[in-house]
Amino acid sequence: MVSSFVHVWLKPLAVNIAGWLLLVVGVLALVLPGPGLLCIVAGLAVLSTRYRWAEKLMHPVKARAYHLAAEGVKTRSRIVASSLGAAVLFACGLVWGLRPPTPGWWQWPDDWWLIGGWGTAISIMGSAGFAIGLIIYSHRRFGLPMKAARRAGGPGA
């Protein structure tokens, strides 16, 4: 009885709440610091388990994401550049959280300098951590072309 209640009523409710919450947070993060597009895609992924329209939206997004992930780890220079970008993003988050004094060139009120404090900083650093995770995942999944050629015994082996 309880199991069927959870499965029939609570599980769909939880999926709906999580999916729509991720979509709203993603839309907000498009204009605020944070991984907006990633939250939107995650929201669509969750909602695609219940709704056909979300599943249809996910197919081209998923194909494009896999293509871009493979392209991002195609060469060592791309991997290094992406990793450096994530490190710079993490450093920006750290500076944001430490909130150095307002510089002289800042024209707006001092309390508008680096708004959000550690909350925003953690969001920025979380984005950097997520980026590093995606780089590692992409490298493991798609690897470098030369590594694949060496495994297959092809040219350059």
Side-chain angles (χ1 to χ4, degrees):
M1 177 77 173
V2 172
S3 177
S4 65
F5 172 75
V6 169
H7 185 68
V8 172
W9 192 77
L10 271 178
K11 187 176 179 183
L13 180 65
V15 167
N16 279 327
I17 290 172
W20 287 107
L21 184 65
L22 281 167
L23 278 177
V24 169
V25 168
V27 169
L28 289 174
L30 290 175
V31 293
L32 300 170
L37 291 175
L38 294 173
C39 284
I40 289 172
V41 170
L44 282 175
V46 170
L47 290 173
S48 71
T49 63
R50 298 236 340 118
Y51 299 106
R52 184 86 177 122
W53 62 266
E55 188 178 343
K56 285 182 181 179
L57 283 174
M58 277 302 296
H59 286 297
V61 169
K62 192 174 182 180
R64 182 77 175 143
Y66 280 140
H67 172 73
L68 290 174
E71 287 294 313
V73 294
K74 205 172 197 178
T75 64
R76 290 192 199 296
S77 60
R78 288 182 184 180
I79 295 169
V80 169
S82 298
S83 300
L84 286 175
V88 167
L89 187 61
F90 187 86
C92 288
L94 192 59
V95 168
W96 198 290
L98 295 174
R99 200 166 187 199
T102 308
W105 51 263
W106 185 256
Q107 299 176 14
W108 296 276
D110 285 354
D111 51 337
W112 284 23
W113 172 248
L114 302 178
I115 292 176
W118 279 107
T120 303
I122 289 170
S123 173
I124 294 170
M125 290 186 291
S127 296
F130 196 78
I132 290 295
L134 285 176
I135 293 166
I136 292 168
Y137 168 80
S138 298
H139 188 290
R140 287 186 156 184
R141 169 117 191 214
F142 303 108
L144 292 170
M146 288 301 288
K147 187 191 289 185
R150 267 187 253 129
R151 271 191 244 138

